[in-house]
Coordinates of all heavy atoms in Angstrom, one line a residue:
M21 N 1.2 22.4 4.2 CA 0.2 22.4 3.2 C -1.2 22.4 3.9 O -1.4 21.7 4.9 CB 0.3 21.1 2.4 CG -0.8 21.0 1.4 SD -0.6 19.6 0.2 CE 0.3 18.4 1.0
Q22 N -2.1 23.1 3.3 CA -3.5 23.1 3.8 C -4.5 22.6 2.8 O -4.4 23.1 1.6 CB -3.9 24.5 4.3 CG -5.3 24.6 4.9 CD -5.5 25.9 5.6 OE1 -4.8 26.1 6.6 NE2 -6.4 26.7 5.2
I23 N -5.3 21.7 3.2 CA -6.3 21.1 2.3 C -7.7 21.5 2.7 O -8.1 21.4 3.9 CB -6.2 19.6 2.3 CG1 -4.8 19.1 1.9 CG2 -7.3 18.9 1.4 CD1 -4.5 17.6 2.1
L24 N -8.5 22.1 1.8 CA -9.9 22.5 2.1 C -10.7 21.4 1.5 O -10.6 21.0 0.3 CB -10.2 23.8 1.4 CG -11.7 24.2 1.4 CD1 -12.3 24.3 2.8 CD2 -11.9 25.5 0.6
I25 N -11.6 20.8 2.3 CA -12.6 19.8 1.9 C -14.0 20.3 2.1 O -14.4 20.6 3.2 CB -12.4 18.5 2.7 CG1 -11.0 18.0 2.5 CG2 -13.4 17.5 2.2 CD1 -10.7 16.7 3.3
T26 N -14.7 20.6 1.0 CA -16.1 21.0 1.1 C -16.9 19.8 1.2 O -16.6 18.8 0.6 CB -16.5 21.8 -0.2 OG1 -16.4 21.0 -1.3 CG2 -15.6 23.1 -0.4
G27 N -17.9 19.8 2.0 CA -18.7 18.7 2.2 C -18.0 17.6 3.0 O -18.3 16.4 2.9
G28 N -17.1 18.0 3.8 CA -16.2 17.1 4.6 C -16.9 16.3 5.7 O -16.2 15.4 6.2
M29 N -18.1 16.6 6.0 CA -18.8 15.9 7.1 C -19.7 14.9 6.6 O -20.4 14.2 7.3 CB -19.5 16.9 8.0 CG -18.6 17.7 8.9 SD -17.6 16.6 10.0 CE -16.3 17.7 10.4
G30 N -19.8 14.7 5.3 CA -20.6 13.6 4.7 C -19.8 12.3 4.8 O -18.7 12.2 5.2
F31 N -20.5 11.3 4.3 CA -19.9 9.9 4.4 C -18.6 9.8 3.7 O -17.6 9.4 4.3 CB -20.9 8.9 3.8 CG -20.4 7.5 3.8 CD1 -20.5 6.7 4.9 CD2 -19.9 6.9 2.6 CE1 -20.0 5.4 5.0 CE2 -19.5 5.6 2.6 CZ -19.5 4.9 3.8
I32 N -18.5 10.3 2.5 CA -17.3 10.2 1.7 C -16.2 11.2 2.3 O -15.1 10.9 2.4 CB -17.5 10.5 0.2 CG1 -18.4 9.4 -0.4 CG2 -16.2 10.7 -0.6 CD1 -18.9 9.6 -1.8
G33 N -16.7 12.4 2.6 CA -15.8 13.4 3.2 C -15.1 13.0 4.4 O -13.9 13.2 4.6
K34 N -15.8 12.3 5.3 CA -15.2 11.8 6.6 C -14.2 10.7 6.3 O -13.1 10.7 6.9 CB -16.2 11.3 7.5 CG -17.0 12.5 8.2 CD -17.9 12.0 9.3 CE -19.1 11.3 8.8 NZ -20.1 11.0 9.8
A35 N -14.5 9.9 5.3 CA -13.5 8.8 5.0 C -12.3 9.4 4.3 O -11.2 8.9 4.6 CB -14.2 7.8 4.0
V36 N -12.4 10.3 3.4 CA -11.3 11.0 2.8 C -10.4 11.7 3.8 O -9.2 11.6 3.8 CB -11.8 11.9 1.7 CG1 -10.6 12.8 1.2 CG2 -12.4 11.1 0.5
T37 N -11.1 12.4 4.7 CA -10.3 13.1 5.8 C -9.5 12.1 6.6 O -8.3 12.4 6.9 CB -11.3 13.9 6.6 OG1 -11.9 14.9 5.8 CG2 -10.5 14.6 7.8
A38 N -10.1 11.0 7.0 CA -9.4 10.0 7.8 C -8.2 9.5 7.0 O -7.1 9.3 7.6 CB -10.3 8.9 8.2
K39 N -8.3 9.2 5.7 CA -7.2 8.7 4.9 C -6.1 9.7 4.8 O -4.9 9.4 4.9 CB -7.7 8.3 3.6 CG -8.5 7.0 3.6 CD -7.6 5.8 4.0 CE -8.3 4.5 3.9 NZ -7.5 3.4 4.4
I40 N -6.5 11.0 4.6 CA -5.5 12.1 4.5 C -4.7 12.2 5.8 O -3.5 12.3 5.8 CB -6.1 13.4 4.1 CG1 -6.6 13.3 2.7 CG2 -5.1 14.6 4.3 CD1 -7.5 14.5 2.3
L41 N -5.4 12.1 6.9 CA -4.7 12.2 8.2 C -3.7 11.1 8.4 O -2.7 11.3 9.1 CB -5.8 12.2 9.4 CG -6.6 13.5 9.5 CD1 -7.7 13.3 10.5 CD2 -5.7 14.7 9.8
E42 N -4.0 9.9 7.9 CA -3.1 8.8 8.0 C -1.8 9.0 7.2 O -0.7 8.5 7.6 CB -3.8 7.5 7.5 CG -4.8 6.9 8.4 CD -5.5 5.7 7.8 OE1 -5.1 5.2 6.8 OE2 -6.6 5.3 8.4
A43 N -2.0 9.6 6.0 CA -0.9 9.6 5.0 C -0.1 11.0 5.0 O 1.0 11.0 4.5 CB -1.5 9.3 3.6
E44 N -0.7 12.0 5.4 CA -0.1 13.4 5.2 C 0.0 14.1 6.6 O -0.6 13.8 7.5 CB -1.0 14.2 4.3 CG -1.2 13.7 2.9 CD 0.0 13.9 2.1 OE1 0.8 14.8 2.3 OE2 0.2 13.0 1.2
S45 N 0.9 15.1 6.6 CA 1.1 15.9 7.7 C 0.4 17.3 7.5 O 0.5 18.2 8.3 CB 2.5 16.2 8.0 OG 3.1 16.8 6.9
A46 N -0.5 17.4 6.5 CA -1.2 18.6 6.1 C -2.2 18.9 7.2 O -2.7 18.0 7.9 CB -1.8 18.5 4.8
S47 N -2.6 20.2 7.2 CA -3.8 20.6 8.0 C -5.0 20.5 7.1 O -4.9 20.7 5.9 CB -3.6 22.0 8.6 OG -3.5 23.0 7.6
I48 N -6.1 20.2 7.7 CA -7.3 20.1 6.9 C -8.4 21.0 7.4 O -8.7 21.1 8.6 CB -7.9 18.6 7.0 CG1 -6.8 17.6 6.4 CG2 -9.2 18.4 6.3 CD1 -7.1 16.2 6.7
V49 N -9.0 21.8 6.5 CA -10.1 22.6 6.8 C -11.3 22.0 6.1 O -11.3 21.8 4.9 CB -9.9 24.1 6.3 CG1 -11.1 24.9 6.5 CG2 -8.7 24.7 7.0
I50 N -12.4 21.8 6.9 CA -13.6 21.2 6.4 C -14.7 22.3 6.4 O -14.9 23.0 7.5 CB -14.1 20.1 7.3 CG1 -13.1 18.9 7.1 CG2 -15.5 19.6 6.9 CD1 -13.3 17.7 8.1
L51 N -15.4 22.5 5.3 CA -16.5 23.4 5.2 C -17.7 22.5 4.9 O -17.7 21.8 3.9 CB -16.3 24.4 4.1 CG -17.5 25.3 3.8 CD1 -17.7 26.3 5.0 CD2 -17.2 26.1 2.5
D52 N -18.7 22.6 5.8 CA -19.9 21.8 5.6 C -21.1 22.6 6.2 O -20.9 23.3 7.2 CB -19.8 20.5 6.2 CG -20.8 19.5 5.7 OD1 -22.0 19.7 5.7 OD2 -20.3 18.4 5.2
N53 N -22.3 22.5 5.6 CA -23.4 23.3 6.1 C -24.2 22.4 7.1 O -25.1 22.9 7.7 CB -24.3 23.9 5.0 CG -24.8 22.8 4.1 OD1 -24.8 21.6 4.4 ND2 -25.4 23.3 3.0
L54 N -23.9 21.1 7.2 CA -24.6 20.2 8.1 C -26.1 20.3 7.9 O -26.9 20.3 8.9 CB -24.2 20.5 9.6 CG -22.8 20.2 9.9 CD1 -22.5 20.6 11.4 CD2 -22.4 18.8 9.7
L55 N -26.6 20.3 6.7 CA -28.1 20.4 6.5 C -28.8 19.2 7.1 O -28.3 18.0 7.0 CB -28.3 20.3 5.0 CG -28.3 21.6 4.2 CD1 -28.6 21.4 2.7 CD2 -29.2 22.6 4.8
P56 N -29.8 19.4 7.9 CA -30.5 18.3 8.5 C -31.1 17.3 7.6 O -31.1 16.1 7.9 CB -31.7 19.1 9.2 CG -31.2 20.4 9.4 CD -30.3 20.7 8.2
K57 N -31.5 17.6 6.4 CA -32.0 16.6 5.5 C -30.9 15.7 5.0 O -31.2 14.6 4.5 CB -32.8 17.2 4.3 CG -32.0 17.8 3.2 CD -32.9 18.3 2.1 CE -32.2 18.6 0.8 NZ -33.1 19.1 -0.2
I58 N -29.7 16.1 5.1 CA -28.5 15.2 4.7 C -27.9 14.5 5.9 O -27.7 13.3 5.9 CB -27.4 16.0 4.0 CG1 -28.0 16.8 2.8 CG2 -26.2 15.2 3.6 CD1 -28.5 16.0 1.7
H59 N -27.7 15.3 7.0 CA -27.0 14.8 8.2 C -27.9 14.5 9.4 O -27.4 14.0 10.4 CB -26.0 15.9 8.6 CG -24.9 16.2 7.6 ND1 -23.8 15.4 7.4 CD2 -24.9 17.2 6.7 CE1 -23.1 15.9 6.4 NE2 -23.7 17.0 5.9
G60 N -29.2 14.6 9.2 CA -30.1 14.4 10.3 C -30.4 15.6 11.1 O -29.7 16.6 11.0
P61 N -31.4 15.6 12.0 CA -31.9 16.8 12.6 C -31.0 17.3 13.8 O -31.1 18.4 14.2 CB -33.3 16.3 13.2 CG -33.2 14.8 13.3 CD -32.3 14.4 12.2
F62 N -30.1 16.4 14.2 CA -29.2 16.9 15.3 C -27.8 16.8 14.9 O -26.9 16.3 15.7 CB -29.5 16.0 16.6 CG -30.9 16.0 17.0 CD1 -31.7 14.9 16.8 CD2 -31.5 17.1 17.5 CE1 -33.1 14.9 17.2 CE2 -32.9 17.2 17.9 CZ -33.6 16.0 17.7
A63 N -27.5 17.2 13.7 CA -26.1 17.0 13.2 C -25.1 17.9 13.9 O -25.3 19.0 14.2 CB -26.1 17.4 11.7
L64 N -24.0 17.2 14.3 CA -22.9 17.9 14.9 C -21.6 17.5 14.0 O -21.6 16.4 13.4 CB -22.7 17.4 16.3 CG -23.7 17.8 17.3 CD1 -23.5 17.0 18.6 CD2 -23.8 19.2 17.5
P65 N -20.6 18.4 14.0 CA -19.4 18.1 13.3 C -18.7 16.8 13.9 O -18.7 16.7 15.1 CB -18.5 19.3 13.4 CG -19.2 20.2 14.3 CD -20.6 19.7 14.6
H66 N -18.2 16.0 13.1 CA -17.5 14.8 13.5 C -16.2 15.3 14.2 O -15.5 16.1 13.7 CB -17.2 13.9 12.4 CG -16.4 12.7 12.7 ND1 -17.0 11.6 13.3 CD2 -15.1 12.4 12.5 CE1 -16.1 10.7 13.5 NE2 -14.9 11.1 13.0
D67 N -15.8 14.7 15.3 CA -14.6 15.0 16.0 C -13.5 14.0 15.5 O -13.6 12.8 15.9 CB -14.7 15.0 17.5 CG -13.5 15.3 18.2 OD1 -12.5 15.7 17.6 OD2 -13.4 15.1 19.5
F68 N -12.6 14.4 14.7 CA -11.5 13.5 14.3 C -10.4 13.3 15.3 O -9.6 12.5 15.1 CB -10.9 14.1 13.0 CG -11.8 14.0 11.8 CD1 -12.6 15.1 11.5 CD2 -11.9 12.8 11.0 CE1 -13.5 15.0 10.4 CE2 -12.8 12.7 9.9 CZ -13.6 13.8 9.6
G69 N -10.5 14.0 16.4 CA -9.5 13.9 17.5 C -8.1 14.2 17.0 O -7.1 13.7 17.5
D70 N -8.0 15.2 16.1 CA -6.7 15.6 15.6 C -6.7 17.1 15.5 O -7.6 17.7 14.8 CB -6.5 14.9 14.2 CG -5.0 15.0 13.7 OD1 -4.5 16.2 13.7 OD2 -4.5 14.0 13.4
P71 N -5.7 17.7 16.1 CA -5.6 19.2 16.0 C -5.4 19.8 14.6 O -5.5 21.0 14.4 CB -4.5 19.6 17.0 CG -3.6 18.3 17.0 CD -4.6 17.2 16.8
R72 N -5.1 18.9 13.6 CA -4.8 19.4 12.3 C -6.1 19.6 11.5 O -6.1 20.2 10.4 CB -4.0 18.4 11.5 CG -2.6 18.3 12.0 CD -1.8 17.2 11.3 NE -2.4 15.9 11.6 CZ -2.3 14.8 10.9 NH1 -1.5 14.8 9.8 NH2 -2.8 13.6 11.2
V73 N -7.3 19.2 12.1 CA -8.6 19.3 11.4 C -9.3 20.5 12.0 O -9.5 20.6 13.3 CB -9.4 18.0 11.6 CG1 -10.8 18.2 10.9 CG2 -8.6 16.8 11.0
H74 N -9.8 21.4 11.2 CA -10.6 22.6 11.6 C -11.9 22.6 10.8 O -11.9 22.5 9.6 CB -9.8 23.8 11.3 CG -8.4 23.8 12.0 ND1 -8.2 24.1 13.3 CD2 -7.2 23.5 11.4 CE1 -6.9 23.9 13.5 NE2 -6.3 23.6 12.4
F75 N -13.0 22.7 11.6 CA -14.3 22.7 10.9 C -14.9 24.1 10.9 O -14.8 24.9 11.9 CB -15.3 21.8 11.7 CG -16.7 21.9 11.3 CD1 -17.1 21.2 10.1 CD2 -17.6 22.6 12.0 CE1 -18.4 21.3 9.7 CE2 -18.9 22.7 11.5 CZ -19.3 22.0 10.4
F76 N -15.5 24.4 9.8 CA -16.3 25.7 9.6 C -17.6 25.3 9.0 O -17.7 24.6 8.0 CB -15.5 26.6 8.6 CG -14.3 27.2 9.2 CD1 -13.1 26.5 8.9 CD2 -14.2 28.3 10.0 CE1 -11.9 26.9 9.5 CE2 -13.0 28.8 10.5 CZ -11.9 28.1 10.2
R77 N -18.7 25.8 9.7 CA -20.0 25.6 9.2 C -20.3 26.7 8.2 O -20.3 27.9 8.5 CB -21.0 25.6 10.4 CG -22.4 25.2 9.9 CD -23.3 25.0 11.0 NE -24.6 24.4 10.6 CZ -25.4 23.7 11.3 NH1 -25.1 23.6 12.6 NH2 -26.5 23.2 10.8
G78 N -20.6 26.3 7.0 CA -20.9 27.3 6.0 C -21.4 26.6 4.7 O -21.5 25.4 4.6
D79 N -21.7 27.4 3.7 CA -22.3 26.9 2.5 C -21.4 27.3 1.3 O -21.0 28.4 1.2 CB -23.7 27.5 2.3 CG -24.5 26.8 1.3 OD1 -24.0 26.6 0.1 OD2 -25.6 26.4 1.6
V80 N -21.1 26.3 0.4 CA -20.3 26.6 -0.7 C -20.9 27.6 -1.7 O -20.2 28.2 -2.5 CB -19.9 25.3 -1.5 CG1 -19.0 24.4 -0.7 CG2 -21.1 24.6 -2.0
S81 N -22.2 27.8 -1.6 CA -22.9 28.7 -2.5 C -22.8 30.2 -2.0 O -23.3 31.1 -2.6 CB -24.4 28.3 -2.7 OG -25.1 28.4 -1.5
R82 N -22.2 30.3 -0.8 CA -22.1 31.7 -0.2 C -20.6 32.1 -0.3 O -19.8 31.5 0.4 CB -22.6 31.7 1.2 CG -24.1 31.5 1.4 CD -24.5 31.4 2.9 NE -23.8 32.4 3.7 CZ -24.3 33.5 4.2 NH1 -25.6 33.8 3.9 NH2 -23.6 34.3 4.9
R83 N -20.4 33.1 -1.1 CA -19.0 33.5 -1.3 C -18.3 33.9 0.0 O -17.1 33.6 0.2 CB -19.0 34.7 -2.3 CG -17.6 35.3 -2.6 CD -17.7 36.4 -3.5 NE -16.3 36.9 -3.8 CZ -16.0 37.4 -5.0 NH1 -16.9 37.7 -5.9 NH2 -14.8 37.8 -5.2
E84 N -19.0 34.5 0.9 CA -18.4 35.0 2.1 C -18.0 33.8 3.0 O -17.2 33.9 3.9 CB -19.3 36.0 2.9 CG -20.7 35.4 3.2 CD -21.7 35.7 2.2 OE1 -21.4 35.9 1.0 OE2 -22.9 35.6 2.6
D85 N -18.6 32.6 2.8 CA -18.2 31.4 3.6 C -17.0 30.8 3.0 O -16.1 30.2 3.7 CB -19.4 30.4 3.6 CG -20.6 30.8 4.4 OD1 -20.5 31.9 5.1 OD2 -21.6 30.2 4.4
V86 N -16.9 30.8 1.6 CA -15.9 30.0 0.9 C -14.6 30.8 0.7 O -13.5 30.3 0.9 CB -16.4 29.5 -0.4 CG1 -15.4 28.8 -1.2 CG2 -17.6 28.7 -0.2
E87 N -14.7 32.0 0.3 CA -13.6 32.8 -0.1 C -12.4 32.9 0.9 O -11.3 32.6 0.5 CB -14.0 34.2 -0.5 CG -12.9 35.0 -1.2 CD -13.3 36.3 -1.7 OE1 -14.2 37.0 -1.1 OE2 -12.8 36.7 -2.8
P88 N -12.7 33.2 2.2 CA -11.5 33.2 3.1 C -10.8 31.9 3.2 O -9.6 31.8 3.4 CB -12.2 33.6 4.4 CG -13.5 34.0 4.1 CD -13.9 33.5 2.8
L89 N -11.5 30.8 3.1 CA -10.9 29.4 3.2 C -10.1 29.1 1.9 O -9.1 28.5 2.0 CB -12.0 28.4 3.5 CG -12.9 28.6 4.7 CD1 -13.9 27.6 4.8 CD2 -12.0 28.7 6.0
L90 N -10.6 29.5 0.8 CA -9.9 29.3 -0.5 C -8.6 30.0 -0.5 O -7.6 29.5 -1.1 CB -10.8 29.7 -1.7 CG -11.9 28.8 -2.1 CD1 -12.8 29.5 -3.2 CD2 -11.4 27.5 -2.6
L91 N -8.6 31.2 0.0 CA -7.4 32.0 0.0 C -6.2 31.4 0.7 O -5.0 31.6 0.3 CB -7.6 33.4 0.5 CG -8.6 34.3 -0.3 CD1 -8.9 35.6 0.5 CD2 -8.0 34.6 -1.7
S92 N -6.4 30.6 1.7 CA -5.4 29.9 2.4 C -5.2 28.5 2.0 O -4.3 27.8 2.6 CB -5.6 30.1 3.9 OG -6.8 29.4 4.3
A93 N -6.0 27.9 1.1 CA -5.9 26.5 0.8 C -4.8 26.3 -0.3 O -4.8 27.1 -1.3 CB -7.2 26.0 0.3
D94 N -4.1 25.2 -0.2 CA -3.2 24.8 -1.3 C -3.9 23.8 -2.2 O -3.6 23.7 -3.4 CB -1.9 24.1 -0.6 CG -1.2 25.1 0.2 OD1 -0.8 26.1 -0.3 OD2 -1.0 24.8 1.4
I95 N -4.8 23.0 -1.6 CA -5.5 22.0 -2.4 C -7.0 22.1 -2.0 O -7.3 22.3 -0.8 CB -5.0 20.6 -2.0 CG1 -3.6 20.4 -2.5 CG2 -5.9 19.5 -2.7 CD1 -2.9 19.1 -2.1
V96 N -7.9 21.9 -2.9 CA -9.3 21.9 -2.6 C -9.9 20.6 -3.1 O -9.7 20.2 -4.3 CB -10.1 23.1 -3.3 CG1 -11.6 23.0 -3.1 CG2 -9.5 24.4 -2.8
L97 N -10.6 19.9 -2.2 CA -11.4 18.7 -2.6 C -12.8 19.1 -2.5 O -13.3 19.3 -1.4 CB -11.1 17.5 -1.7 CG -9.6 17.0 -1.7 CD1 -9.4 15.9 -0.7 CD2 -9.3 16.5 -3.1
H98 N -13.5 19.2 -3.6 CA -14.9 19.6 -3.6 C -15.8 18.4 -3.6 O -16.0 17.8 -4.6 CB -15.2 20.5 -4.8 CG -16.6 21.0 -4.9 ND1 -17.2 21.7 -3.9 CD2 -17.5 20.9 -5.9 CE1 -18.4 22.0 -4.2 NE2 -18.6 21.5 -5.4
L99 N -16.4 18.1 -2.4 CA -17.3 17.0 -2.2 C -18.7 17.4 -1.8 O -19.5 16.6 -1.6 CB -16.7 16.0 -1.1 CG -15.3 15.5 -1.4 CD1 -14.8 14.7 -0.2 CD2 -15.2 14.7 -2.7
A100 N -18.9 18.7 -1.7 CA -20.2 19.2 -1.3 C -21.2 19.0 -2.4 O -20.9 19.2 -3.6 CB -20.1 20.7 -1.0
A101 N -22.4 18.5 -2.0 CA -23.4 18.2 -3.0 C -24.7 18.1 -2.3 O -24.8 17.9 -1.1 CB -23.1 16.9 -3.7
E102 N -25.8 18.3 -3.0 CA -27.1 18.1 -2.4 C -28.0 17.6 -3.5 O -28.0 18.0 -4.6 CB -27.6 19.5 -1.9 CG -29.0 19.3 -1.3 CD -29.6 20.7 -0.8 OE1 -28.8 21.6 -0.7 OE2 -30.7 20.7 -0.5

């Protein structure tokens, strides 16, 4: 099973990802734009230290960023917001 989490590098997204990793054997794809006004001027993706987590920098408002990830996702958790 593959779970797509939009906004997965935010406070709630990181917490949800950590809980899923504890409870599930699913792979997790995180889509986040890492906007400086949200994540700070030197934002980097959080390293969960787990090969099941894959990060993609992109924006949920851009179809070309989201569509390929949606096509392979079994579950979507939409946490992206601004």
Side-chain angles (χ1 to χ4, degrees):
M21 174 173 34
Q22 184 165 294
I23 301 170
L24 169 61
I25 303 177
T26 65
M29 288 298 160
F31 180 78
I32 295 171
K34 288 190 286 191
V36 168
T37 298
K39 287 294 185 187
I40 291 170
L41 289 172
E42 289 175 9
E44 297 288 332
S45 61
S47 65
I48 299 171
V49 174
I50 294 174
L51 176 67
D52 201 301
N53 59 13
L54 295 177
L55 277 181
K57 78 179 195 178
I58 306 296
H59 299 279
F62 306 108
L64 295 172
H66 179 76
D67 180 10
F68 289 93
D70 193 305
R72 295 176 293 163
V73 179
H74 307 280
F75 173 77
F76 293 90
R77 188 172 191 157
D79 195 307
V80 294
S81 66
R82 292 175 41 104
R83 182 180 183 151
E84 58 269 22
D85 290 351
V86 179
E87 189 172 37
L89 303 177
L90 283 173
L91 292 174
S92 61
D94 298 302
I95 297 172
V96 177
L97 297 176
H98 180 53
L99 303 176
E102 180 183 348

